[in-house]
Amino acid sequence: MTQLFDVVLPVFLVVGFGYAVAWRGWFSESAVDGVMRFAQNFAVPVLLFRSIATLDLSADFDLPMLAAFYVGAFASFMLGAFGARRIGRPPQDAVAIGFACLFSNSLLLGVPITERAYGAEALAGNWAIIAVHSPLLYTFGITVMEFTRARGEDLSVGRVALRALTGVLRTPLVIGIVCGIAMNVMLQAGLVLPGGFWAGIEMMSRAALPSALFALGGILYRYRPEGDSRAIAICCVASLILHPSVTFGLGRLFDLELSSLRSAVLTAAMAPGVNAYLFASIYGVAKRVAASAVLVATALSILSISVWLQILP
């Protein structure tokens, strides 16, 4: 119970504050969208840039940890996509629902909860997962969706792949990650930047998580659950139960260090992120399911995260 109040509750209080002010009409939808655009397009990419630029790439990229996490993620996609087809959703809906199961909220929830539970020094594994997260999963999701949409069209594999790659490279989160990796390489080569540069980056980074969590609450209020209960249930089971369970099992099998196991399992245990809804919005399919899954799974994750905090030493 102490972990619930000390670790999980503060993060969800910020989300709840955003939800409450949107519910009471004290913050308009356009204002919520503006805060989220600031967070996702500017502050969060800067945070990713700073974190990855200073990451020890050779030491922190634990391949067994990444394998445990991403095997669980793709298993969740398979459950979501095939489950959606079994309940009668069309193919493009199934891809969007699978993506919601695949894309855990690694940054906005995973980072602050891991930091509050185990300290800032425990985040190296989180940043390694996040460095791969958006580029890999967006590339996978967009590629699968483009091939699904191209079925029956006279399009070459190269043209479909180019459309997928273009979509990935336009994503602000991916741009922040790529720039962070480039800066990391230059710093390792001996580049020295003035302290004022890093001070400005630090100021922008500190605004990222609070603003994004607050805006997440406002967005969750807007997309309240309406029907689609079976699809939403599939998303919750895949993201909150299957993904962390597979990751934990593989982590124990691979004999991961405790810090790596914590980062991987807690990140896997997060609810789908707002990017699940943004992905559905790009293609105009399963938007209500994606938004409702984010809301319901985020609420349920308060309990599931507390369980994993008890299981992990």
Side-chain angles (χ1 to χ4, degrees):
M1 187 60 72
T2 301
Q3 286 181 318
L4 176 63
F5 284 100
D6 291 346
V7 177
V8 180
L9 192 59
V11 174
F12 284 96
L13 279 176
V14 180
V15 177
F17 184 44
Y19 189 99
V21 297
W23 167 54
R24 298 302 301 168
W26 297 334
F27 213 62
S28 67
E29 287 189 5
S30 61
V32 170
D33 289 338
V35 174
M36 183 55 82
R37 278 196 297 271
F38 162 74
Q40 288 205 310
N41 294 344
F42 303 102
V44 170
V46 169
L47 172 63
L48 290 173
F49 168 82
R50 185 209 68 183
S51 301
I52 293 169
T54 57
L55 195 67
D56 186 346
L57 297 178
S58 61
D60 294 326
F61 271 74
D62 184 340
L63 291 181
M65 177 194 69
L66 295 175
F69 179 85
Y70 286 107
V71 168
F74 288 115
S76 297
F77 176 86
M78 298 296 287
L79 173 62
F82 284 110
R85 291 294 288 148
R86 291 281 294 178
I87 62 174
R89 305 295 298 222
Q92 292 185 39
D93 278 22
V95 175
I97 291 168
F99 190 84
C101 300
L102 172 79
F103 206 101
S104 57
N105 200 336
S106 59
L107 183 62
L108 302 190
L109 295 180
V111 167
I113 287 173
T114 304
E115 183 175 13
R116 291 195 63 81
Y118 304 115
E121 65 279 0
L123 291 176
N126 292 63
W127 294 125
I129 290 170
I130 290 168
V132 181
H133 202 242
S134 290
L136 175 63
L137 300 189
Y138 265 115
T139 300
F140 174 78
I142 291 173
T143 301
V144 173
M145 182 65 84
E146 291 295 343
F147 276 102
T148 301
R149 295 174 70 200
R151 222 174 256 173
E153 298 181 23
D154 187 19
L155 290 175
S156 67
V157 172
R159 287 186 63 186
V160 176
L162 181 61
R163 280 189 347 197
L165 180 63
T166 302
V168 171
L169 293 179
R170 288 176 179 169
T171 307
L173 299 180
V174 174
I175 293 171
I177 290 167
V178 171
C179 291
I181 293 172
M183 177 60 72
N184 190 294
V185 172
M186 289 188 288
L187 291 174
Q188 294 296 324
L191 176 68
V192 177
L193 292 173
F197 171 82
W198 292 110
I201 293 292
E202 179 66 25
M203 290 175 64
M204 192 74 165
S205 299
R206 283 200 297 266
L209 293 180
S211 60
L213 289 171
F214 176 84
L216 175 61
I219 287 175
L220 290 180
Y221 169 72
R222 187 184 312 169
Y223 299 108
R224 296 177 294 280
E226 295 176 5
D228 303 305
S229 57
R230 289 186 295 173
I232 295 168
I234 290 171
C235 291
C236 291
V237 169
S239 59
L240 301 182
I241 299 175
L242 178 63
H243 190 178
S245 297
V246 171
T247 301
F248 181 75
L250 290 176
R252 296 297 296 269
L253 179 65
F254 297 155
D255 195 24
L256 294 182
E257 292 184 2
L258 182 56
S259 60
S260 297
L261 184 66
R262 287 168 170 169
S263 292
V265 174
L266 276 185
T267 305
M270 297 302 132
V274 174
N275 284 296
Y277 171 74
L278 297 178
F279 180 85
S281 295
I282 291 171
Y283 293 102
V285 295
K287 292 192 293 184
R288 189 171 65 185
V289 173
S292 298
V294 172
L295 174 60
V296 174
T298 299
L300 292 176
S301 68
I302 297 175
L303 299 176
S304 63
I305 292 167
S306 300
V307 171
W308 283 110
L309 287 172
Q310 294 294 327
I311 293 172
L312 295 167

